[in-house]
Amino acid sequence: MYTLYRISTNSLDKHVTDEFLPLCRPATDENDINALIDVVRSGWITTGPKNAALEKEISQLTGAPHVVALSSATAGMHLVLKALNIGPGDEVITPSLTWVSTANMICLAGAKPVFVDVDPNTLMVSSEQIEPLINKNTKLIIPVHYAGAALELDAIYDLAKKYDIPVVEDAAHALGAEYKGKPIGARGTCLFSLHAIKNISAGEGGLLTTFDAKIADAVRRLKFHGLGVDAFDRKEQGRSPQAEVIEPGFKYNLPDICAVLALGQLNRIDAITEKRRVLVEHYSHLLSTVSGITPLSIPSYPHKHCHHLMIVKVDPTEFGVDRNDLIELLKQRNIGSGIHFRPIHQQKYYRENYVTLYGEPNTNLNHTELVGSQICSLPLFPDMSLGDVERVVEAIKDIASKNEK
């Protein structure tokens, strides 16, 4: 069902210009644009048939029996926390090296985010790092698939089973990734992002996949005012247009004008992933001779990487400048780069309020703090050419040569 399109040689080898090379760009094509126009012309631009089709396609891709499309992965996190009744007095274990939305949602639920350290080479958490943080107040574990690599899921789920604690996988980076031959989303509960920078983008959007019907029902209900049905449900299923509010809910549904963009890319997901793999492989080969620039390690357990981000660690003692200076110097050369992510516990709000709100934090975050000062994301998107990769690496080498100790 998911077609592997041949990667065009011309696409890989096209002429490189000195124009600004962004950090990322959506993988949309003319067919996606035409499909979007069709949705606008249809008169049904909010949650409708394209939304339903997207949920069905994701269910077929992952094997998850329940899929709910949402306005963002952050919305999904909010609703899952509510569905699991996470609240005051509860603790949720998650890495500090992730996007702030996870910790924000935990805090807004009234619970305590407990930050766990990461492997300095993969930037992902392990069961060995999580277990010492578990106590009687631990009600949820949220591990993060990072940069397109898959977590070591077996050990994490075994740990969760041992302590009878649910797991919600943050799979914002992992749509198209696999673990031991099965797609991410093929077990438990996962949250995927469809943000503009993701491998499959709806502009904005998110997806919940789950094997828990109660979680799915709660999220589906809460995403639309607590009604449990949206306008399309009522139109197609003959439900009363005056459906009752079962509980107070939110407005987190995904419009069809977003869903249709993701649908088109989803049909090309294998080709998108393969193009990213080729680009990352070229990066890794060229960077292997650059002292002080180290790409993330690939986990040794069986998995399929979907290469969401091309992240390198910058060692200023070897490279000559630190990560922040490298970003600025690349910008001066018309090349975009970025940081994924600054540690949450070092963000202003959490620096200033964590102890007051929650008591002493986990102080064993040494790896997080070190790599948090080193990581830099380089341009990576399917429309790039091998020549674009070479341009970035040559710029890095030029910066290094001008800053040799």
Side-chain angles (χ1 to χ4, degrees), residues 116-120 124-133 367:
V116 59
D117 207 6
V118 296
D119 182 298
M124 292 190 289
V125 303
S126 68
S127 60
E128 291 82 7
Q129 294 161 314
I130 293 170
E131 187 165 18
L133 301 176
H367 293 154

PDB file of all heavy atoms in Angstrom, residues 116-120 124-133 367:
ATOM      1  N   VAL A 116      14.994  12.370  33.628  1.00  0.00           N
ATOM      2  CA  VAL A 116      15.939  11.258  33.585  1.00  0.00           C
ATOM      3  C   VAL A 116      17.047  11.585  32.592  1.00  0.00           C
ATOM      4  O   VAL A 116      16.809  12.240  31.570  1.00  0.00           O
ATOM      5  CB  VAL A 116      15.219   9.939  33.221  1.00  0.00           C
ATOM      6  CG1 VAL A 116      14.518  10.034  31.871  1.00  0.00           C
ATOM      7  CG2 VAL A 116      16.189   8.765  33.227  1.00  0.00           C
ATOM      8  N   ASP A 117      18.262  11.151  32.890  1.00  0.00           N
ATOM      9  CA  ASP A 117      19.402  11.414  32.029  1.00  0.00           C
ATOM     10  C   ASP A 117      19.330  10.561  30.766  1.00  0.00           C
ATOM     11  O   ASP A 117      18.564   9.586  30.690  1.00  0.00           O
ATOM     12  CB  ASP A 117      20.704  11.127  32.786  1.00  0.00           C
ATOM     13  CG  ASP A 117      21.885  11.941  32.267  1.00  0.00           C
ATOM     14  OD1 ASP A 117      21.680  12.818  31.399  1.00  0.00           O
ATOM     15  OD2 ASP A 117      23.016  11.712  32.730  1.00  0.00           O
ATOM     16  N   VAL A 118      20.148  10.905  29.781  1.00  0.00           N
ATOM     17  CA  VAL A 118      20.145  10.207  28.499  1.00  0.00           C
ATOM     18  C   VAL A 118      21.509   9.596  28.217  1.00  0.00           C
ATOM     19  O   VAL A 118      22.515   9.971  28.826  1.00  0.00           O
ATOM     20  CB  VAL A 118      19.780  11.164  27.338  1.00  0.00           C
ATOM     21  CG1 VAL A 118      18.365  11.689  27.492  1.00  0.00           C
ATOM     22  CG2 VAL A 118      20.780  12.310  27.245  1.00  0.00           C
ATOM     23  N   ASP A 119      21.529   8.659  27.293  1.00  0.00           N
ATOM     24  CA  ASP A 119      22.790   8.135  26.772  1.00  0.00           C
ATOM     25  C   ASP A 119      23.452   9.258  25.981  1.00  0.00           C
ATOM     26  O   ASP A 119      22.815   9.859  25.098  1.00  0.00           O
ATOM     27  CB  ASP A 119      22.503   6.940  25.858  1.00  0.00           C
ATOM     28  CG  ASP A 119      23.763   6.307  25.306  1.00  0.00           C
ATOM     29  OD1 ASP A 119      24.517   7.012  24.578  1.00  0.00           O
ATOM     30  OD2 ASP A 119      24.008   5.119  25.569  1.00  0.00           O
ATOM     31  N   PRO A 120      24.721   9.583  26.239  1.00  0.00           N
ATOM     32  CA  PRO A 120      25.339  10.725  25.569  1.00  0.00           C
ATOM     33  C   PRO A 120      25.600  10.507  24.082  1.00  0.00           C
ATOM     34  O   PRO A 120      25.863  11.471  23.358  1.00  0.00           O
ATOM     35  CB  PRO A 120      26.673  10.893  26.325  1.00  0.00           C
ATOM     36  CG  PRO A 120      26.975   9.532  26.845  1.00  0.00           C
ATOM     37  CD  PRO A 120      25.648   8.933  27.200  1.00  0.00           C
ATOM     38  N   MET A 124      19.031   9.065  24.016  1.00  0.00           N
ATOM     39  CA  MET A 124      17.797   8.407  24.444  1.00  0.00           C
ATOM     40  C   MET A 124      17.966   7.800  25.829  1.00  0.00           C
ATOM     41  O   MET A 124      19.073   7.535  26.286  1.00  0.00           O
ATOM     42  CB  MET A 124      17.388   7.339  23.427  1.00  0.00           C
ATOM     43  CG  MET A 124      16.949   7.942  22.089  1.00  0.00           C
ATOM     44  SD  MET A 124      16.189   6.758  20.956  1.00  0.00           S
ATOM     45  CE  MET A 124      17.612   5.763  20.492  1.00  0.00           C
ATOM     46  N   VAL A 125      16.836   7.564  26.486  1.00  0.00           N
ATOM     47  CA  VAL A 125      16.844   7.003  27.832  1.00  0.00           C
ATOM     48  C   VAL A 125      16.857   5.484  27.779  1.00  0.00           C
ATOM     49  O   VAL A 125      16.531   4.879  26.753  1.00  0.00           O
ATOM     50  CB  VAL A 125      15.627   7.481  28.654  1.00  0.00           C
ATOM     51  CG1 VAL A 125      15.579   8.998  28.719  1.00  0.00           C
ATOM     52  CG2 VAL A 125      14.319   6.935  28.072  1.00  0.00           C
ATOM     53  N   SER A 126      17.216   4.876  28.907  1.00  0.00           N
ATOM     54  CA  SER A 126      17.219   3.420  29.016  1.00  0.00           C
ATOM     55  C   SER A 126      16.489   3.015  30.285  1.00  0.00           C
ATOM     56  O   SER A 126      16.269   3.827  31.196  1.00  0.00           O
ATOM     57  CB  SER A 126      18.656   2.890  29.072  1.00  0.00           C
ATOM     58  OG  SER A 126      19.284   3.287  30.289  1.00  0.00           O
ATOM     59  N   SER A 127      16.142   1.747  30.375  1.00  0.00           N
ATOM     60  CA  SER A 127      15.468   1.236  31.571  1.00  0.00           C
ATOM     61  C   SER A 127      16.361   1.368  32.795  1.00  0.00           C
ATOM     62  O   SER A 127      15.876   1.620  33.907  1.00  0.00           O
ATOM     63  CB  SER A 127      15.053  -0.219  31.356  1.00  0.00           C
ATOM     64  OG  SER A 127      16.201  -1.028  31.089  1.00  0.00           O
ATOM     65  N   GLU A 128      17.689   1.206  32.600  1.00  0.00           N
ATOM     66  CA  GLU A 128      18.628   1.319  33.719  1.00  0.00           C
ATOM     67  C   GLU A 128      18.642   2.732  34.293  1.00  0.00           C
ATOM     68  O   GLU A 128      18.833   2.923  35.505  1.00  0.00           O
ATOM     69  CB  GLU A 128      20.035   0.936  33.269  1.00  0.00           C
ATOM     70  CG  GLU A 128      20.231  -0.525  32.933  1.00  0.00           C
ATOM     71  CD  GLU A 128      19.761  -0.886  31.525  1.00  0.00           C
ATOM     72  OE1 GLU A 128      19.409   0.040  30.760  1.00  0.00           O
ATOM     73  OE2 GLU A 128      19.729  -2.086  31.201  1.00  0.00           O
ATOM     74  N   GLN A 129      18.455   3.728  33.447  1.00  0.00           N
ATOM     75  CA  GLN A 129      18.418   5.112  33.933  1.00  0.00           C
ATOM     76  C   GLN A 129      17.079   5.449  34.585  1.00  0.00           C
ATOM     77  O   GLN A 129      17.011   6.257  35.516  1.00  0.00           O
ATOM     78  CB  GLN A 129      18.687   6.072  32.766  1.00  0.00           C
ATOM     79  CG  GLN A 129      20.100   5.968  32.189  1.00  0.00           C
ATOM     80  CD  GLN A 129      20.175   6.552  30.797  1.00  0.00           C
ATOM     81  OE1 GLN A 129      19.326   6.283  29.939  1.00  0.00           O
ATOM     82  NE2 GLN A 129      21.194   7.355  30.550  1.00  0.00           N
ATOM     83  N   ILE A 130      16.022   4.823  34.101  1.00  0.00           N
ATOM     84  CA  ILE A 130      14.680   5.120  34.601  1.00  0.00           C
ATOM     85  C   ILE A 130      14.429   4.489  35.969  1.00  0.00           C
ATOM     86  O   ILE A 130      13.865   5.131  36.867  1.00  0.00           O
ATOM     87  CB  ILE A 130      13.613   4.627  33.593  1.00  0.00           C
ATOM     88  CG1 ILE A 130      13.688   5.432  32.291  1.00  0.00           C
ATOM     89  CG2 ILE A 130      12.211   4.715  34.203  1.00  0.00           C
ATOM     90  CD1 ILE A 130      12.850   4.849  31.170  1.00  0.00           C
ATOM     91  N   GLU A 131      14.838   3.246  36.161  1.00  0.00           N
ATOM     92  CA  GLU A 131      14.425   2.482  37.345  1.00  0.00           C
ATOM     93  C   GLU A 131      14.740   3.164  38.675  1.00  0.00           C
ATOM     94  O   GLU A 131      13.876   3.171  39.571  1.00  0.00           O
ATOM     95  CB  GLU A 131      15.023   1.079  37.314  1.00  0.00           C
ATOM     96  CG  GLU A 131      14.474   0.203  38.426  1.00  0.00           C
ATOM     97  CD  GLU A 131      14.744  -1.276  38.231  1.00  0.00           C
ATOM     98  OE1 GLU A 131      15.652  -1.609  37.422  1.00  0.00           O
ATOM     99  OE2 GLU A 131      14.063  -2.093  38.868  1.00  0.00           O
ATOM    100  N   PRO A 132      15.937   3.759  38.871  1.00  0.00           N
ATOM    101  CA  PRO A 132      16.208   4.380  40.173  1.00  0.00           C
ATOM    102  C   PRO A 132      15.285   5.555  40.513  1.00  0.00           C
ATOM    103  O   PRO A 132      15.210   5.954  41.681  1.00  0.00           O
ATOM    104  CB  PRO A 132      17.661   4.869  40.028  1.00  0.00           C
ATOM    105  CG  PRO A 132      18.248   4.034  38.952  1.00  0.00           C
ATOM    106  CD  PRO A 132      17.124   3.793  37.998  1.00  0.00           C
ATOM    107  N   LEU A 133      14.586   6.100  39.519  1.00  0.00           N
ATOM    108  CA  LEU A 133      13.711   7.256  39.742  1.00  0.00           C
ATOM    109  C   LEU A 133      12.281   6.858  40.080  1.00  0.00           C
ATOM    110  O   LEU A 133      11.462   7.706  40.423  1.00  0.00           O
ATOM    111  CB  LEU A 133      13.715   8.157  38.507  1.00  0.00           C
ATOM    112  CG  LEU A 133      15.089   8.711  38.095  1.00  0.00           C
ATOM    113  CD1 LEU A 133      14.959   9.510  36.804  1.00  0.00           C
ATOM    114  CD2 LEU A 133      15.700   9.554  39.199  1.00  0.00           C
ATOM    115  N   HIS A 367      25.044  13.847  31.608  1.00  0.00           N
ATOM    116  CA  HIS A 367      25.096  13.659  30.161  1.00  0.00           C
ATOM    117  C   HIS A 367      24.195  14.659  29.448  1.00  0.00           C
ATOM    118  O   HIS A 367      24.565  15.239  28.422  1.00  0.00           O
ATOM    119  CB  HIS A 367      24.683  12.233  29.796  1.00  0.00           C
ATOM    120  CG  HIS A 367      25.638  11.185  30.249  1.00  0.00           C
ATOM    121  ND1 HIS A 367      25.252   9.882  30.498  1.00  0.00           N
ATOM    122  CD2 HIS A 367      26.968  11.243  30.506  1.00  0.00           C
ATOM    123  CE1 HIS A 367      26.302   9.183  30.879  1.00  0.00           C
ATOM    124  NE2 HIS A 367      27.354   9.982  30.899  1.00  0.00           N
TER     125      HIS A 367
END
